[in-house]
Amino acid sequence: MRIGADYYPEHWGDDVLVQDVCRMKELGVDIVRMAEFAWSRLEPREGEYCFDWLDRAVQLFGEAGIDIVLCTPTCTPPQWMFQCYPQIIQSGADGQPVPIGVRGHRCMNSPVFRNFAEKIIRKMVSHYRDEPHVVAWQIDNELEANHCRCPFCQEAFKKWMEKKYTSVEEINSAYGNIVWSGEYSDMQEVKPPTAAVLQWQNPSLTLDFNRYASDSTVDYVRFQQKIIREIAPDISVTTNNWLCENMPDFYDMFRDLDFVSYDNYPPVTLPEDKETLYSHAFHLDLMRGIKRQNFWIMEELSGALGSWMPMSPTPRPGMLKGYSAQAFAHGADAVLHFRWRTGCSGAEMYWHGILDHSNVPGRRYEEFADLCRWVKQWKEIEGSVVINRVALLYGSDQEYAFKLQHQAEGMYYMEQLKLLHDAFTAIGVGVDIIDEREALEGYDIVLAPNLHITKEAVTKKLYRYVEQGGRLLLTTRSGVKDSFNKCIMASLPTVFAELVGVRVTEYDVIGETTQTIQITDGAWQQAFEQTRELQWNGVDVVVTGSRWCDLLETDTADVLAEYGEEFYKGTPAVTENRYKKGVAYYVGTVLNRSAYISLAKRMAEECGLPYWEDLPLGVEVTKRVRDGKEWLFVFNNTMESKKIRTGECLQPFEMKVLL
């Protein structure tokens, strides 16, 4: 378990650098990340390299016993490169170059850009490969799927399509291009979607373009990784990610990297509404599930957030330590806080670090110091891992298809995953969030919400899993489309109908309603959730459905819950089907939080999975194991004190470690 910070020596003079190294050493910081945005300082003019300032930082941190993650600075090419080589600039959805700004606006496919990128990477890795305290390299920064439409990328997309399809006739058939006279007559007509409203394009084209865009980013990562490994074959290599607008397929992107890194910014203001999910336990479990191994937090919350939006409130006392401890509990082996000191210039000058602009150590600094001491106390946990018996399936295609064609107002793919993850977290049962293509051996329960895009291999795997005794949960909007993003002409849930033993006879899209409220200075709109009451015998909580209502007709399934109102009163909404040796559940609506928790308890009981019956809402229990020894982490992720079964009282954002 390592604790660290992100540091920018290029922003400060030598006197500040010396002071910062001394302070970090005193606190017990043992790792820093540097140089991800420093290309202009590393290569101030084309072909002229300057590493003296970074050498000084590497020297001082190394002498202090602090290890270093260095970054390839390719997210931010120097301004001279944009000026002299404008062909490296990304193009937007309209095919026109984007305003370059200063960050992330390079085209990953541009041969000119890749030539410059290879030169700087080779120079840096060669220069620092023998530095004993340089322990890892981070590739670029917060990579998104490459949705560039420049001439290079248009040609790359056409080649990607030619590799996947044998002819334009095959594309026309797969896409259903007869709609709106969209049929191609020649491969030269195949171009990325560029409509002002993406939803106007053929959904088959847009899904394939996103697949290409993800593959393009994966290729870019491999391009950099290959250079690094050629020069320094024994160094660890990663890249940092976040849940961005155009997410690449994380499972593909990290497949050949050594470990996953994530930029973690949990909320500083917790919602009062009990139905609102906010815990970053979901994000952490998603990161661990990408490679099904421990991961790093490359950026962690350190203070108020603000730059391109109004500043947030400052983190409450206990949040910095608590959120870092939460990450360790879910499998993080290192947590680096962003950033050590708050910047005094640039767009992120209000994205606060451990030290404020005053340069005077304050409350957050002292809390970070306490965190450093806490981590040192638990060195024995190093090498331990998280092992769970519940899997939640995530699919990159599912996420993008849902985003492309919204199913109901307020209904989102990630929300469906979070609701099920939260239900098991609320009863102290750990969840692995894994790729839908992964093997399912070792899991007692598999949760597979919104399998919107069907894939033959995934479908066969789920049938086999249940046949052999597994417990599977499917939800509404499953089996809707084929792998080309076209609707299947069959009763929902189509390919899963036999497995769950039900058919959808009709559905009611209830979404959210928007109400306009008049005020003195004008009007504003507020969204209100619509719900349907459900009748569920044996469940002692109020049960409602929202967003979407499948009206079910059972074949072999047993009914667990029925709708209690509207014209479909008495119609099944939640079912359970015995299939061969296993059980398949179907949830035909979006349940409220307490209902999902009740369902999680039922599923855990039926397969003999231990759980906490009376865990207070917002208290999280996770477990790390090593060599037969277990450490139980109990985290109070609320604004209130909570009492748990052991009789202990947990303060807000407090972590207890029980052997």
Side-chain angles (χ1 to χ4, degrees):
M1 292 170 64
R2 313 192 73 176
I3 195 72
D6 300 300
Y7 192 67
Y8 298 88
E10 66 271 27
H11 296 179
W12 316 106
D14 192 70
D15 55 339
V16 175
L17 171 62
V18 171
Q19 181 187 74
D20 287 337
V21 172
C22 291
R23 280 175 167 171
M24 289 191 210
K25 181 179 180 180
E26 181 182 1
L27 293 186
V29 168
D30 53 22
I31 192 163
V32 294
R33 182 192 70 170
M34 299 189 295
E36 78 270 25
F37 297 137
W39 197 342
S40 67
R41 184 58 59 89
L42 292 163
E43 189 180 2
R45 282 164 290 280
E46 182 176 347
E48 180 182 317
Y49 299 97
C50 178
F51 293 167
D52 292 352
W53 61 273
L54 188 54
D55 289 345
R56 173 66 169 160
V58 169
Q59 174 197 352
L60 289 176
F61 280 116
E63 290 173 352
I66 298 173
D67 285 339
I68 300 155
V69 178
L70 286 180
C71 307
T72 65
T74 48
C75 183
T76 54
Q79 293 300 298
W80 60 256
M81 193 182 301
F82 286 126
Q83 179 68 27
C84 298
Y85 304 94
Q87 62 267 49
I88 74 167
I89 301 172
Q90 281 183 18
S91 292
D94 60 359
Q96 298 302 309
V98 300
I100 59 171
V102 292
R103 175 172 170 175
H105 296 144
R106 72 283 181 261
C107 170
M108 301 177 197
N109 282 329
S110 165
V112 175
F113 171 72
R114 285 206 177 191
N115 180 52
F116 280 114
E118 180 169 356
K119 288 179 180 177
I120 189 67
I121 294 168
R122 285 190 178 279
K123 288 285 186 181
M124 289 184 70
V125 179
S126 298
H127 191 79
Y128 294 109
R129 65 181 171 187
D130 296 324
E131 287 287 348
H133 284 280
V134 175
V135 297
W137 281 88
Q138 173 188 300
I139 291 173
D140 209 272
N141 184 76
E142 295 183 339
L143 289 162
E144 298 195 29
N146 181 32
H147 280 212
C148 178
R149 273 86 158 182
C150 76
F152 297 119
C153 290
Q154 291 195 37
E155 182 63 22
F157 176 60
K158 186 169 73 69
K159 289 180 179 178
W160 185 93
M161 291 285 286
E162 289 173 338
K163 184 176 181 180
K164 181 173 182 178
Y165 301 99
T166 59
S167 65
V168 291
E169 289 76 19
E170 185 182 358
I171 299 173
N172 289 334
S173 175
Y175 285 11
N177 275 343
I178 185 61
V179 176
W180 292 356
S181 293
E183 292 171 299
Y184 301 122
S185 60
D186 187 274
M187 283 301 297
Q188 295 304 316
E189 299 166 11
V190 179
K191 299 185 187 316
T194 56
V197 179
L198 199 60
Q199 286 76 9
W200 291 352
Q201 296 273 198
N202 188 319
S204 300
L205 172 67
T206 52
L207 181 59
D208 257 351
F209 181 68
N210 192 68
R211 289 165 172 161
Y212 148 79
S214 179
D215 288 350
S216 178
T217 298
V218 171
D219 178 75
Y220 176 68
V221 169
R222 288 174 179 163
F223 154 73
Q224 294 209 20
Q225 177 192 18
K226 182 180 178 181
I227 299 169
I228 296 170
R229 292 214 185 283
E230 177 188 326
I231 301 167
D234 298 325
I235 200 76
S236 292
V237 183
T238 187
T239 187
N240 58 332
N241 78 81
W242 62 302
L243 302 188
C244 53
E245 176 65 20
N246 296 315
M247 292 191 293
D249 188 322
F250 294 140
Y251 304 93
D252 290 343
M253 187 169 74
F254 282 100
R255 184 164 289 117
D256 297 328
L257 297 179
D258 292 292
F259 58 90
V260 172
S261 297
Y262 178 61
D263 294 349
N264 190 45
Y265 293 100
V268 296
T269 302
L270 306 190
E272 296 181 3
D273 177 21
K274 298 297 184 183
E275 293 294 315
T276 302
L277 306 181
Y278 62 84
S279 176
H280 265 226
F282 173 86
H283 300 240
L284 301 170
D285 288 341
L286 175 61
M287 294 304 115
R288 191 186 65 253
I290 292 173
K291 291 181 73 69
R292 300 174 82 167
Q293 66 184 41
N294 290 2
F295 60 98
W296 284 27
I297 298 295
M298 202 61 82
E299 296 182 15
E300 176 64 65
L301 176 75
S302 296
L305 309 182
S307 289
W308 38 89
M309 69 287 200
M311 278 186 279
S312 72
T314 191
R316 304 294 97 181
M319 278 187 171
L320 265 63
K321 180 181 177 183
Y323 282 145
S324 294
Q326 182 190 36
F328 284 123
H330 284 266
D333 281 342
V335 174
L336 284 73
H337 282 251
F338 185 89
R339 46 200 284 180
W340 171 253
R341 63 168 60 245
T342 309
C344 290
S345 59
E348 289 186 322
M349 68 177 75
Y350 293 124
W351 201 284
H352 291 73
I354 299 297
L355 280 167
D356 286 331
H357 295 127
S358 65
N359 197 29
V360 177
R363 174 183 62 84
R364 297 195 314 281
Y365 182 93
E366 295 304 324
E367 187 171 321
F368 179 73
D370 189 41
L371 170 64
C372 292
R373 290 189 290 270
W374 184 87
V375 170
K376 293 297 183 289
Q377 293 171 5
W378 291 104
K379 282 293 183 183
E380 62 176 315
I381 297 177
E382 289 184 357
S384 63
V385 296
V386 178
I387 300 176
N388 293 318
R389 292 164 60 187
V390 177
L392 175 61
L393 304 190
Y394 170 89
S396 178
D397 280 354
Q398 314 296 352
E399 193 272 337
Y400 190 73
F402 244 71
K403 185 182 295 181
L404 175 66
Q405 291 183 301
H406 293 144
Q407 301 296 287
E409 191 67 38
M411 185 176 181
Y412 304 103
Y413 175 67
M414 282 296 191
E415 175 198 43
Q416 312 308 302
L417 271 68
K418 288 179 179 179
L419 284 164
L420 288 169
H421 178 273
D422 171 77
F424 283 87
T425 299
I427 61 173
V429 175
V431 178
D432 290 343
I433 305 175
I434 65 173
D435 186 2
E436 63 184 10
R437 299 165 292 188
E438 285 281 343
L440 302 177
E441 286 76 17
Y443 292 112
D444 297 324
I445 295 172
V446 171
L447 312 169
N450 301 133
L451 291 180
H452 200 63
I453 305 293
T454 59
K455 300 175 182 177
E456 185 178 1
V458 174
T459 302
K460 287 181 177 179
K461 178 180 64 177
L462 294 178
Y463 269 88
R464 187 166 56 249
Y465 170 75
V466 178
E467 287 171 356
Q468 295 173 351
R471 278 172 165 75
L472 171 70
L473 185 145
L474 296 175
T475 73
T476 181
R477 309 316 290 147
S478 292
V480 177
K481 295 184 173 184
D482 63 18
S483 62
F484 299 106
N485 209 13
K486 294 188 304 184
C487 285
I488 298 173
M489 189 184 293
S491 295
L492 293 169
T494 67
V495 298
F496 302 113
E498 180 185 346
L499 185 60
V500 296
V502 300
R503 290 181 296 109
V504 178
T505 61
E506 190 178 356
Y507 46 73
D508 186 17
V509 184
I510 59 177
E512 293 177 345
T513 58
T514 302
Q515 179 178 336
T516 301
I517 301 174
Q518 297 296 327
I519 57 177
T520 304
D521 298 325
W524 61 284
Q525 292 186 329
Q526 182 173 354
F528 292 91
E529 182 180 74
Q530 295 192 79
T531 61
R532 300 288 184 262
E533 177 187 343
L534 270 64
Q535 303 297 327
W536 195 328
N537 293 331
V539 174
D540 58 358
V541 297
V542 174
V543 180
T544 61
S546 64
R547 305 284 197 267
W548 191 283
C549 296
D550 279 340
L551 282 55
L552 305 179
E553 183 177 284
T554 61
D555 292 328
T556 58
D558 296 323
V559 178
L560 298 182
E562 300 175 339
Y563 295 106
E565 56 181 322
E566 268 295 343
F567 68 89
Y568 39 89
K569 179 178 181 180
T571 302
V574 183
T575 61
E576 176 186 67
N577 188 50
R578 304 281 167 178
Y579 186 82
K580 304 291 177 69
K581 296 180 181 179
V583 180
Y585 301 82
Y586 188 85
V587 180
T589 186
V590 180
L591 298 173
N592 57 312
R593 191 178 189 185
S594 57
Y596 275 120
I597 293 172
S598 295
L599 180 57
K601 289 180 178 179
R602 178 190 181 97
M603 296 178 71
E605 286 174 0
E606 288 188 349
C607 64
L609 190 61
Y611 69 92
W612 289 54
E613 174 65 45
D614 54 356
L615 195 65
L617 202 61
V619 174
E620 301 170 2
V621 178
T622 50
K623 183 169 62 176
R624 290 181 61 148
V625 300
R626 189 197 69 229
D627 300 330
K629 192 172 184 178
E630 298 182 352
W631 291 268
L632 194 68
F633 292 77
V634 185
F635 175 50
N636 180 12
N637 192 12
T638 76
M639 295 293 292
E640 304 168 346
S641 298
K642 300 286 185 178
K643 193 170 185 178
I644 59 174
R645 186 187 304 163
T646 62
E648 292 192 59
C649 187
L650 286 171
Q651 301 305 309
F653 315 111
E654 183 180 15
M655 174 73 78
K656 295 286 186 182
V657 185
L658 309 176
L659 296 178

